[in-house]
Amino acid sequence: QSVLTQPPSVSGAPGQRVTISCTGSSSNIGADYDVHWYQQLPGTAPKLLIFGNNNRPSGVPDRFSGSKSGTSASLAITGLQAEDEADYYCQSYDSSLSGSVFGGGTKVTVL
Amino acid sequence: QVQLVQSGAEVKKTGSSVKVSCKTSEDAFATYASIAWVRQAPGQGLEWMGAIMPIFGSPTYAQKFQGRVTLSADDSTATVYLELTSLRPDDTAVYYCSRQSVTKGPYFHYWGQGTLVTVSS
């Protein structure tokens, strides 16, 4: 059971917009710690997609955006493309555990 | 370009230990950068194990792994090590090192290629 809760899967047609939720608690997201997002393609290491809630590292398309409110955060992918088919993980810091915590991951399928 | 290069796959017996290395760019040892370790069991999600700031050599560990994991750093080779003892079959996973950055809390900016550790009885 992950500390941060994500839906196991989401899907959408090419060109559509999909969102992935990440729900935490008062000891992590709700404690004002930032939320970060990673994309993991099959058989590869995770890649940083969004840091500090809504910032994209250099090279990440602006189709990816993040937001945070209260004890939850969201990742949005607009203009969905076949290459976006991957697993996505949210991550934050938890003060009760004194360490980083991840969501269980969401598999995005492009129909 | 930050690069992290990890050691190769390992096959271990239950009860034994494994030591995985992660060679970093030298500036990780000259700045306040931290190197974290994250593992991923087959078909499962990501799990943070701990982190070390090589310039100080001071590690922090996830509560789950306290007593079984040791992180260390060798500044002569710019290499960070993860040692996990008393291995069990459920320790079978890909182990990643990552260069950590910080905003309001840490995040994992650059990743190694991963090291598969297989534990069999």
Side-chain angles (χ1 to χ4, degrees), chain A residues 33-105:
Chain A
Y33 291 106
D34 282 347
V35 178
H36 320 286
W37 292 89
Y38 304 86
Q39 178 192 60
Q40 187 176 34
L41 299 171
T44 69
K47 169 191 168 185
L48 180 66
L49 200 64
I50 297 286
F51 68 96
N53 304 320
N54 55 15
N55 300 287
R56 288 184 307 276
S58 174
V60 173
D62 59 6
R63 302 185 293 104
F64 295 92
S65 63
S67 64
K68 174 191 161 185
S69 178
T71 58
S72 296
S74 290
L75 173 72
I77 310 173
T78 56
L80 195 63
Q81 299 181 4
E83 67 205 50
D84 299 333
E85 198 161 275
D87 293 322
Y88 294 82
Y89 294 90
C90 61
Q91 175 253 318
S92 187
Y93 181 84
D94 190 285
S95 58
S96 296
L97 297 173
S98 299
S100 292
V101 290
F102 287 94

Side-chain angles (χ1 to χ4, degrees), chain A residues 32-34 36 38 40 44-46 48 51 89 91 96-97 99-100 102, chain B residues 38 40 44-48 63 96 103-109 111-112:
Chain A
D32 202 28
Y33 291 106
D34 282 347
H36 320 286
Y38 304 86
Q40 187 176 34
T44 69
L48 180 66
F51 68 96
Y89 294 90
Q91 175 253 318
S96 296
L97 297 173
S100 292
F102 287 94
Chain B
V38 175
Q40 186 172 36
Q44 303 300 309
L46 303 171
E47 183 174 35
W48 179 78
Q63 293 173 7
Y96 294 102
T103 55
K104 287 184 185 177
Y107 63 97
F108 310 109
H109 202 152
W111 295 70

